[in-house]
Amino acid sequence: MAHDMNMPTHPVVGPLKAETSGFHFYYGDHHALRNIDMPVGDKKVTAIIGPSGCGKSTLLRSFNRMHDLYPGNRYEGEIRLYPDNVNIIERGVDPIEVRMRIGMVFQKPNPFPKSIFENVAYGLRVRGEKRRSVIEEKVEEALRGAALWDEVKDRLDSLATNLSGGQQQRLCIARALAADPELLLFDEPTSALDPIATAGIEELIGQIKHRVTILIVTHNMQQAARVSDFTAFMYMGELVEFSPTEELFVKPKKQQTEDYITGRFG
Amino acid sequence: MAHDMNMPTHPVVGPLKAETSGFHFYYGDHHALRNIDMPVGDKKVTAIIGPSGCGKSTLLRSFNRMHDLYPGNRYEGEIRLYPDNVNIIERGVDPIEVRMRIGMVFQKPNPFPKSIFENVAYGLRVRGEKRRSVIEEKVEEALRGAALWDEVKDRLDSLATNLSGGQQQRLCIARALAADPELLLFDEPTSALDPIATAGIEELIGQIKHRVTILIVTHNMQQAARVSDFTAFMYMGELVEFSPTEELFVKPKKQQTEDYITGRFG
Amino acid sequence: MQAAELQTLRQQIAWRKRYDIWFGILGLLATMVGVLTLVALFVDLIMDGYGRLSWQFLTSFPSRRASEAGILSAWVGTALVMLVTAAAAIPLGVAAAVYLEEYAPRNWITDIIEINVTNLAGVPSIIYGLLALGLFVYLLDFGQSILSAGLTLALLILPVIIVATREALRAIPIGIREAAYALGASKWQVVSHHLLPYSSGGILTGIIIGMARAIGETAPVITIGALTFIAFLPPLPFTTDPATGATVGPFEWLFAPFTVLPIQMFNWVSRPQAAFLENAAATGIVIIIATLAMNGIAIWLRYRIRKTIKW
Amino acid sequence: MEKHLSSQFDEELNRISTQVLEMGGVVESQLRSVIRGLYQHDHGAIQQVLELEERVNRLEIEIDREITSVMSRRQPTARDLRLLVGVSRVIVNLERAGDEAARVARLTQEFIEAGAPRALPIDDLVNAAKMAADSIRATLDAFARLDVSAALKVIEEDDRLDVMYEGFVRKLITYMMEDPRMITPCLSLLFLAKAVERVGDHAKNIAEAAVYVAMGKDIRHASPQERESALK
Amino acid sequence: MEKHLSSQFDEELNRISTQVLEMGGVVESQLRSVIRGLYQHDHGAIQQVLELEERVNRLEIEIDREITSVMSRRQPTARDLRLLVGVSRVIVNLERAGDEAARVARLTQEFIEAGAPRALPIDDLVNAAKMAADSIRATLDAFARLDVSAALKVIEEDDRLDVMYEGFVRKLITYMMEDPRMITPCLSLLFLAKAVERVGDHAKNIAEAAVYVAMGKDIRHASPQERESALK
Amino acid sequence: MAEASTRLHINRQRQARERLIEGILFLAASSAVAVTVAIVVILLYEAAGFFQHVSIVEFLTNTQWTPMFENPQYGILPLVTGTLVTAGVALLVAVPTGVVVAIYLSEFAPAAVRETIKPFLELLEGVPTVVYGYFALLFVTPLLQRLMPDLPGFNMLGPGIVIGIMIIPYVSSVSEDAMRAVPMHLREGSYAMGATRFQTATRVVFPSAISGVLAAFILGISRAIGETMVVAVAAGQQPNFTWDPREPAATITAYIVQVAMGDLPHGSIAYQSIFAAGLVLVLMTLVFNIIGHLLRRKFREAY
Amino acid sequence: NLVKVDGSSTVFPITEAVAEDFQKATQGKIKVTVGISGTGGGFKKFCRGETDISNASRPILEQEMKACAEAGIKFIELPVAYDALTVIIHPKNTWAGELTVADLKKMYEPAAQGKVNNWNQIRSTFPNAPLKLAGAGADSGTFDYFTEAIVGKAKSSRGDYQATEDDNVTIQYVSRDVNAIGYLGLAYYLENKDKVKAVAIKKDDKSPAVLPSLETVNKGTYQPLSRPIFIYVSTKAAERPEVKQFVEYYLRNAAKLSKEVGYVDLPAKAYELALDNFRKGKVGTAFGGHAEVGVSVEELLKREMKH
Ligand SMILES: Nc1ncnc2c1ncn2[C@@H]1O[C@H](COP(=O)(O)OP(=O)(O)OP(=O)(O)O)[C@@H](O)[C@H]1O
Ligand SMILES: Nc1ncnc2c1ncn2[C@@H]1O[C@H](COP(=O)(O)OP(=O)(O)OP(=O)(O)O)[C@@H](O)[C@H]1O
Ligand SMILES: [Mg+2]
Ligand SMILES: [Mg+2]
Ligand SMILES: O=P([O-])([O-])[O-]
């Protein structure tokens, strides 16, 4: 599929799904993000790494306006979503609309305490979809997409919270996928999982990236290295370096990046 | 210091601090550990790795009879502590005495919500130590030992829970050290920490291992690889392989080990 | 996304958001039901009883003349009864909770105790009155004394304290216990050095809430046969009794006759003279202010301790 | 080989293996061309060898880059790590073998251009070259299949090649002594032989790498007895 | 160099670096001994070179093991990874250089035992050997300091050594043509020269590794122009 | 290290002390059982006298309760229906309102509003129940009479509503605690799907907190059933076998206080009847508590 | 030096007033407590020897006498005032200003239950309006006395009327409904004359209609709804000087204080007789262990006592 005419092309990244420019974020008085310019390549995996508290999650959560849920937060600058070319943090843009187009998977698997089926169907129900057949079809598709169908197809009605951690996280991915997101945000999706479940999620990310653009925050540099096409390194609320992943890990451009990824941070 | 005459010597490990033989553990009917024979080298770091639920924590917690706290648990076989050459899981052995000699550091930093000083002094207080000067001396020594003295010496009276995660975990190590343990158990001591704090704890383990024998459970194979002298790989309640760490990671003896450490586990 | 799709999407969002507004209004209204009732009650009481609220009212004994009557014996009685209640319920409740939470083996005895405690919390207060009448007043022969009333209310709030203490204990992460045990602490050391200090906030809150409830309780105290007219105070320990000249023992006050605020209020309510209704209202205000103060203290404590103790 | 949890990792390792085999194939075909060139004075074949050298160099750099990339991104351990370390040793040796092939080609060219006296014992050389090419194929096979006994055979084979080389050098010296005009062509042959012998050495090194990957034992510089005992 | 959070990692890297320098030192001293042996017909020096070979081999295997161990345990990236990759390339080349030194020693011995005709242009060879030894030292220096321009100098130097080698070979041929009895000793010298030339090559490879570690650019097989542009 | 091995032996002195403490604590815990046993024994003992005169069948089936009349009738049913109807009315008020309030406070109200209103609501519990009784009688019932002119001055509707209002804080505060205990990440999960506040509250938060909400209901029921003074004052003290909340009726608790404060000679059957009634009340609350226990177990939070 | 009084809520205000003044008079040397546990509850305590004096709004019953006898408690019965039950109606009620006992019986007798629901069922001249009955709670002395006086048998009543222990509530009820009728203690009516209207009672068709008032009760013309109320003093307690002093004070001041709190004082003669009985230690009850209607106090005090 040729990319949409309205998607600008970035010299390093190629066609863009989104892009922040001159983006700032404030938690009340706390200036958490400073002047972030970051491209998000279409159908690419972009990872954000950096030390604790550098603002990774803050940046990620800005993409679906999660900060709107809490009082006192303020956005500044632009986060453009393509091909629409809208600045999604503008006042006039409805956060609910943004969230319907940009899915999210969280650090701790957070299935709703409902059945597996209802979890995946949730996004459709929220949209007012009532036709059972449509929902069933979409649920199956999403579960297949999340490589979970075979494991759960015989017990769609059992409680999602009875699944193992790794299955829960894949369910959360299915739940997000069922809503047909254009961009999927992952905030440390495996930090609550054991290594084997982690590998499963990473594998899944590798599979779905052909369908949807992915932005992932991770504490685990190796994870970023393993799953992403591009990596952004943040430090103290600023974007220090953005490079193709392999380059960043073998030959970073900035000393700070190098120090961080080689474990020389003080 | 030459090792004690009562410490037997193991062909691979050298002088032993402890050793399990024919050790079994049951959670009620659940046979969680089967026939574990594992040496613990004196003043060495021994790591235990394996997939989730394989019994790592169960084994570790048997060393200080932590399972006694919950009903229905049952030990079988031997865990010998040297140089005493006592089977510490025998009925006649007082778990409290065992715990006074075998310290433990947990997954989540768990300082008491008391002052920093009181946290470190707690082990001494439990032992009935009342002399302020002795306590002060020991506290300083332990905090220095845990590489925390310089950071907290000016605020020993402030609440321990206000420290950062990494500092809290070092405090917990200091707390354990203050009690002069002969063996120190770590149960995934860094899984709640960010990479930089993790590096700090690993560094600390490297420093204290000259003073005390260390047994560490970790989910993170690389961590085991980084910090330990010997590594035990467990699977489904059994000890599959015990080797010097380097050997285990470059040239494991068992196919199961190899599959696990190379991420081929199914 | 296509413009047409976007259009339907937006319509559908707008539709869904309407529920937010409706529910917001509904919620506010529902909240106001409670708040307005309270305000109405309070305002009504104040309008009726404000005129009687004075120092004189607090320092006078009851009287047949409404304007001279006061609640001295009633509030002193309430205070002393609360003292007994606290002294009995706190150690018992906390100890029971500690046993259930930290010591109890998981067996049928514990199960029975557990179910019992939950059940006691639901037993109507009037039943406690019946119990107390049989047990304290007659069987143990404490008579209609401060001791009987205090113990009765102690039984009433025992489950409240047990439940609150258990919840506070349960909120302490298992890691704290394990940390202490791992350093070689014995069970009692763990309990006394850690669990009780750390749960003190929750325990205190539970105690205060329980006591606030006990202050307003009428039924059980009525059942044990409360007095109504008392124009003297219980003897202060170690003072000399003016009538007999003997020195008062330290616990004599426990067996003294007494009355409490709600009874005084209840009595006044059913008097024919309208002036007594004012007195009743004023007493109501005093009770509400007392519970208000106790709740305030509970909130403050919760806040204070939450600030210092975190895991 | 069992699969990794990460299919991408599998793919990456497969790609590297394929590239190594491709590189081996190129080197082998260089060697075969050289033999043809030597034997049939085939200019085209020789030209081809020189052209292929480029490709071998490019493959070496590319595979090396991929190895580094995999290492930085996948934290390989045990057999995966040994494979990557082994591959990096293999490609160094393949590149060298390719170099030697190119050298042979160049020398052959000189030799032919210089008149290539028919009298010289070129057959021995061709046989040796064939042996070397076979060794390269055999060693790559052993590496691909991690077949330790096949690898050991290659290592033993190399001794035979060395013996042949010694004999050949002695033979050449007599030729040179007999006829000083032969000195220059003989020297060419000598260098040619040396290069062929080196190819054998590289095959042996690759075999050692195969043993390392398969068993984690480093048998470089080991005497045959040491080898034996190490592989027990 | 800034320190890692893990001092043990620092120690391990330091140990590897020290061992590499030690290995380099051994190889250099082999080369110096060889020169002495050649120049002064010093049997003891030659014997020493052969003895040191053992040590070089051992070091190679040991360092390689440590590299693998560090890789399996520390997940090195960026400059650490490049360092380890670079070191592994360096030691291969050092070992080869050591091999060549040993070869030279053996040839020298043969040469001396065969009567070592004074007439042969041994001085040229000695000079070349000195140059090669200097190159090794210079390249190790450059590697230790990650000094790219020093490394580039070594690379250029190698070309001079190659030119010297060509000239020497031509000279030897004339010697051989003049006097067939000289063929055997000349061949020895020829192989000697070849070995010395190889040492130069290894020095160059090490220099390339240094550039790789310092800048992350692989300049192997690059033409001088390509090098230039890569390093800009 | 000669002392080494003895160091691990059991410390008898410490063990004895620990045992002693445990024993004391066990006694304290048993006090809860003792209280229950005492309640049951006293009720049974006194009720036994009652049941010597009145057959259990009559007690359970007769629809008239007039122990103090000349021709006494001892059918507990009117008191039970009175209790259930007032409690039912109370729950009809308290449950929806309490839940709406809980949802509103936990999900909709700004933190400042929540923090001011919550303690305010909790004060509703602190008002002496007698006050509520008169509130029901003198304020709510007249108000209702405007809507329903036929409504008698005593009825179960008014006190039921007032008890409902009185227990709103029980229901709302326990439910709200349960809802606030629903981890933020579940809410975020829902919002991230594009759900509105209302959708998140009703489809995710509420179902997740269902066990706590049920616990709140049970608490509320126990409280409504056990409430005494409000009904005693405002429902009319007239046992009335009816399910119609507009009618006056007596509840078990109202009957017990009435007799406890009244002129009946002690030891008379009528007097003993309050223990039989008390027994029924205890059994009713027991049943509800057990139901609550089971429900909570079934819906235990699993986020 | 503690006098314990407990019992009826009806008698409470008088005893309270006496106790208040008595304590003042003795400067607090003698303490008096007065409780409310109902006449029955009071007797229970009294017969167990827990109290010295029991307030009672009805004579002691046989059962209670037995209890006292078993415990060896002897008592002196002392009437202290009259309570007049007042039948009240809404001020706008124009038809029922006078009612005969028979009328009231028609309303309250057990046979009326569920049947008599309309004013015109009482008298055909009454309007066709629903009859709304209020009255005392079934376990109060007031109820017992009312049923005895009106229906003829204590506790014999219909069940479907608005029963309450709190007379203020009855005031509320009647004052809100034109069709309502109820009965309560005189004091409550006197305090609420603006809200309700008292009904003049005719003993029978021929008798004059008498409105309740201090005078009509005191004179004995308000019949049959006047009843004496009592205190019972334990003879054992009466031996104690403070109890004796209190009872004497009580009888001396009852006239004044009972009026003050809304009751009707007995004729002066009655108090003297009572004091005399007390001093003589005349134990027992003038009633046979059951209620009686329409006896004068003097007569009572002179009767042979029954134990
Ligand atoms: N709700 C908040 N209010 C105020 N400051 C906040 C809030 N959340 C985060 N911050 C601050 O903003 C900064 C960035 O936080 P953020 O959570 O984005 O970090 P992060 O890079 O995701 O860290 P981590 O790896 O620990 O998740 C930190 O300094 C943090 O303390
Ligand atoms: N308290 C318990 N009661 C019953 N079974 C238990 C209990 N704790 C653990 N188990 C079981 O015992 C086995 C070993 O558990 P253990 O916690 O030792 O595993 P682990 O290797 O430490 O896993 P992880 O890496 O997830 O911590 C598991 O199957 C687990 O389900
Ligand atoms: Mg984060
Ligand atoms: Mg574990
Ligand atoms: O309380 P009484 O006995 O007067 O109804």
Side-chain angles (χ1 to χ4, degrees), chain A residues 80-124:
Chain A
R80 299 213 151 261
L81 188 65
Y82 301 114
D84 309 58
N85 195 11
V86 227
N87 178 5
I88 57 173
I89 57 169
E90 240 168 31
R91 282 194 174 279
V93 175
D94 188 344
I96 294 185
E97 188 184 320
V98 172
R99 294 185 198 129
M100 294 182 88
R101 295 176 53 189
I102 301 186
M104 180 154 181
V105 175
F106 298 79
Q107 177 161 10
K108 219 177 138 259
N110 58 356
F112 304 132
K114 298 172 183 275
S115 71
I116 294 173
F117 185 89
E118 281 307 320
N119 262 279
V120 183
Y122 187 74
L124 303 166

Side-chain angles (χ1 to χ4, degrees), chain B:
Chain B
M1 193 181 74
H3 76 267
D4 199 294
M5 296 311 295
N6 292 321
M7 276 184 186
T9 301
H10 182 274
V12 177
V13 171
L16 289 183
K17 179 68 210 169
E19 186 177 22
T20 73
S21 46
F23 181 66
H24 293 254
F25 185 82
Y26 302 81
Y27 286 112
D29 292 339
H30 178 49
H31 196 163
L33 296 178
R34 291 161 195 270
N35 202 29
I36 308 285
D37 295 334
M38 185 180 76
V40 179
D42 189 42
K43 308 266 157 63
K44 294 278 184 260
V45 179
T46 305
I48 307 176
I49 62 171
S52 199
C54 68
K56 305 181 291 295
S57 305
T58 305
L59 178 57
L60 191 82
R61 293 160 64 90
S62 300
F63 274 84
N64 65 350
R65 306 233 340 223
M66 223 49 184
H67 299 298
D68 287 32
L69 299 180
Y70 307 94
N73 299 338
R74 192 154 57 79
Y75 311 89
E76 215 172 73
E78 293 193 347
I79 299 183
R80 300 214 150 258
L81 187 66
Y82 300 114
D84 309 58
N85 194 11
V86 179
N87 179 6
I88 57 174
I89 55 170
E90 240 168 31
R91 283 196 175 278
V93 174
D94 190 342
I96 294 186
E97 300 289 333
V98 171
R99 293 184 199 128
M100 287 194 172
R101 294 177 52 189
I102 301 185
M104 183 155 181
V105 174
F106 298 81
Q107 177 162 10
K108 227 181 128 255
N110 54 1
F112 304 130
K114 299 175 183 275
S115 73
I116 293 174
F117 184 90
E118 280 307 320
N119 262 278
V120 183
Y122 188 70
L124 303 168
R125 297 217 191 278
V126 160
R127 280 159 180 71
E129 183 60 69
K130 295 242 153 59
R131 288 161 299 170
R132 183 82 193 167
S133 63
V134 173
I135 295 180
E136 273 175 3
E137 191 181 306
K138 281 270 192 181
V139 166
E140 173 168 352
E141 189 190 316
L143 282 169
R144 283 193 193 281
L148 197 60
W149 177 250
D150 290 333
E151 286 163 63
V152 304
K153 63 167 180 278
D154 298 326
R155 47 171 177 149
L156 291 176
D157 290 331
S158 68
L159 264 184
T161 39
N162 289 337
L163 296 173
S164 75
Q167 288 175 321
Q168 286 187 12
Q169 196 61 303
R170 274 181 285 151
L171 181 70
C172 292
I173 295 175
R175 186 172 66 186
L177 285 180
D180 267 334
E182 301 163 35
L183 173 59
L184 201 44
L185 312 172
F186 287 83
D187 193 355
E188 308 198 19
T190 63
S191 67
L193 302 181
D194 65 54
I196 292 166
T198 298
I201 300 295
E202 290 179 3
E203 179 68 10
L204 185 55
I205 290 174
Q207 285 163 18
I208 59 177
K209 76 170 181 181
H210 305 295
R211 300 204 273 137
V212 50
T213 303
I214 290 172
L215 194 54
I216 177 172
V217 159
T218 170
H219 245 139
N220 182 331
M221 282 182 297
Q222 271 71 32
Q223 180 166 74
R226 288 191 296 263
V227 302
S228 70
D229 301 304
F230 298 94
T231 300
F233 169 63
M234 292 184 61
Y235 183 54
M236 307 249 291
E238 296 187 19
L239 180 68
V240 173
E241 176 166 353
F242 177 92
S243 299
T245 299
E246 185 183 314
E247 195 180 315
L248 191 121
F249 281 95
V250 177
K251 194 167 58 90
K253 287 197 278 282
K254 297 280 169 61
Q255 183 67 30
Q256 269 181 323
T257 318
E258 171 121 28
D259 285 348
Y260 181 68
I261 63 174
T262 57
R264 280 187 177 85
F265 221 75

Side-chain angles (χ1 to χ4, degrees), chain C residues 182-203:
Chain C
L183 284 164
S186 70
K187 199 158 208 159
W188 178 242
Q189 282 175 322
V190 172
V191 169
S192 59
H193 295 172
H194 301 285
L195 304 183
L196 290 180
Y198 307 157
S199 57
S200 56
I203 296 176

Side-chain angles (χ1 to χ4, degrees), chain B residues 195-196 199-200 202-203 206-207 209 220 222-223 225-227 245-246 249-250, chain E residues 4-9 11-12 15 65-66 68-75:
Chain B
I196 292 166
E202 290 179 3
E203 179 68 10
Q207 285 163 18
K209 76 170 181 181
N220 182 331
Q222 271 71 32
Q223 180 166 74
R226 288 191 296 263
V227 302
T245 299
E246 185 183 314
F249 281 95
V250 177
Chain E
H4 285 89
L5 285 174
S6 165
S7 62
Q8 242 182 311
F9 190 9
E11 265 168 43
E12 285 166 9
R15 189 165 60 240
R65 226 207 52 235
E66 293 211 12
T68 322
S69 154
V70 169
M71 279 187 169
S72 76
R73 286 168 36 235
R74 304 254 171 218
Q75 321 143 36

Side-chain angles (χ1 to χ4, degrees), chain A residues 7-265:
Chain A
M7 275 186 188
T9 300
H10 183 275
V12 176
V13 172
L16 288 182
K17 178 69 210 170
E19 187 176 22
T20 74
S21 44
F23 180 65
H24 292 254
F25 184 81
Y26 302 80
Y27 286 112
D29 292 337
H30 176 51
H31 196 164
L33 294 178
R34 292 159 195 274
N35 202 30
I36 309 284
D37 294 335
M38 185 180 76
V40 179
D42 188 43
K43 308 265 156 64
K44 295 278 184 257
V45 179
T46 305
I48 308 176
I49 62 171
S52 199
C54 68
K56 304 181 293 295
S57 303
T58 306
L59 177 57
L60 190 83
R61 294 161 63 90
S62 301
F63 274 83
N64 67 349
R65 304 227 348 218
M66 225 47 185
H67 299 298
D68 287 32
L69 298 180
Y70 307 93
N73 298 338
R74 193 155 55 81
Y75 311 88
E76 214 172 74
E78 292 194 346
I79 299 183
R80 299 213 151 261
L81 188 65
Y82 301 114
D84 309 58
N85 195 11
V86 227
N87 178 5
I88 57 173
I89 57 169
E90 240 168 31
R91 282 194 174 279
V93 175
D94 188 344
I96 294 185
E97 188 184 320
V98 172
R99 294 185 198 129
M100 294 182 88
R101 295 176 53 189
I102 301 186
M104 180 154 181
V105 175
F106 298 79
Q107 177 161 10
K108 219 177 138 259
N110 58 356
F112 304 132
K114 298 172 183 275
S115 71
I116 294 173
F117 185 89
E118 281 307 320
N119 262 279
V120 183
Y122 187 74
L124 303 166
R125 298 227 190 269
V126 157
R127 280 159 178 74
E129 180 62 67
K130 294 242 155 54
R131 286 161 300 172
R132 182 85 195 166
S133 64
V134 174
I135 293 180
E136 273 175 2
E137 192 180 306
K138 281 270 192 180
V139 166
E140 172 167 350
E141 189 188 317
L143 282 170
R144 283 193 193 281
L148 197 60
W149 177 249
D150 291 331
E151 285 163 62
V152 303
K153 64 167 179 278
D154 297 326
R155 46 171 177 152
L156 290 175
D157 290 332
S158 67
L159 261 186
T161 38
N162 290 338
L163 295 174
S164 75
Q167 287 175 323
Q168 286 188 11
Q169 195 62 301
R170 274 181 285 153
L171 181 69
C172 292
I173 296 175
R175 184 173 69 186
L177 286 179
D180 268 334
E182 301 164 37
L183 172 59
L184 201 44
L185 311 173
F186 288 83
D187 193 356
E188 308 199 17
T190 64
S191 67
L193 303 181
D194 65 52
I196 292 168
T198 299
I201 300 295
E202 289 178 5
E203 178 68 11
L204 184 55
I205 290 175
Q207 285 163 17
I208 59 178
K209 77 172 182 181
H210 306 294
R211 298 202 273 139
V212 51
T213 303
I214 290 173
L215 195 53
I216 177 172
V217 159
T218 170
H219 245 138
N220 182 330
M221 283 182 298
Q222 272 71 32
Q223 181 165 73
R226 288 191 295 263
V227 302
S228 71
D229 300 304
F230 299 94
T231 301
F233 170 62
M234 293 184 61
Y235 184 54
M236 307 251 289
E238 297 187 18
L239 181 68
V240 173
E241 174 165 354
F242 177 93
S243 297
T245 300
E246 185 182 314
E247 197 180 313
L248 192 120
F249 280 95
V250 177
K251 196 165 55 93
K253 286 197 277 281
K254 296 281 168 57
Q255 184 66 31
Q256 269 181 323
T257 318
E258 170 121 27
D259 285 349
Y260 180 69
I261 63 172
T262 56
R264 281 186 177 81
F265 223 72

Side-chain angles (χ1 to χ4, degrees), chain D residues 35-92:
Chain D
I35 292 165
R36 215 169 49 247
L38 198 59
Y39 207 63
Q40 304 169 356
H41 291 198
D42 180 341
H43 259 286
I46 284 166
Q47 211 46 47
Q48 205 184 351
V49 176
L50 295 175
E51 276 156 22
L52 286 177
E53 203 200 349
E54 255 301 278
R55 186 144 155 237
V56 172
N57 289 346
R58 266 209 324 277
L59 274 168
E60 183 193 15
I61 287 182
E62 198 174 313
I63 296 173
D64 240 344
R65 223 207 55 236
E66 292 211 12
I67 290 172
T68 321
S69 151
V70 169
M71 279 188 168
S72 75
R73 287 169 35 235
R74 303 249 172 222
Q75 320 142 40
T77 49
R79 118 169 83 146
D80 297 326
L81 177 59
R82 298 201 307 268
L83 178 70
L84 292 175
V85 168
V87 164
S88 79
R89 288 188 195 158
V90 168
I91 59 172
V92 169

Side-chain angles (χ1 to χ4, degrees), chain F residues 87-132:
Chain F
V89 171
L91 289 179
L92 281 181
V93 173
V95 167
T97 321
V99 169
V100 168
V101 169
I103 294 180
Y104 175 73
L105 289 183
S106 133
E107 308 298 314
F108 283 76
V113 172
R114 179 173 58 233
E115 294 313 318
T116 27
I117 285 188
K118 234 189 130 176
F120 213 84
L121 276 182
E122 274 167 16
L123 271 185
L124 278 172
E125 295 173 34
V127 178
T129 49
V130 177
V131 175
Y132 282 112

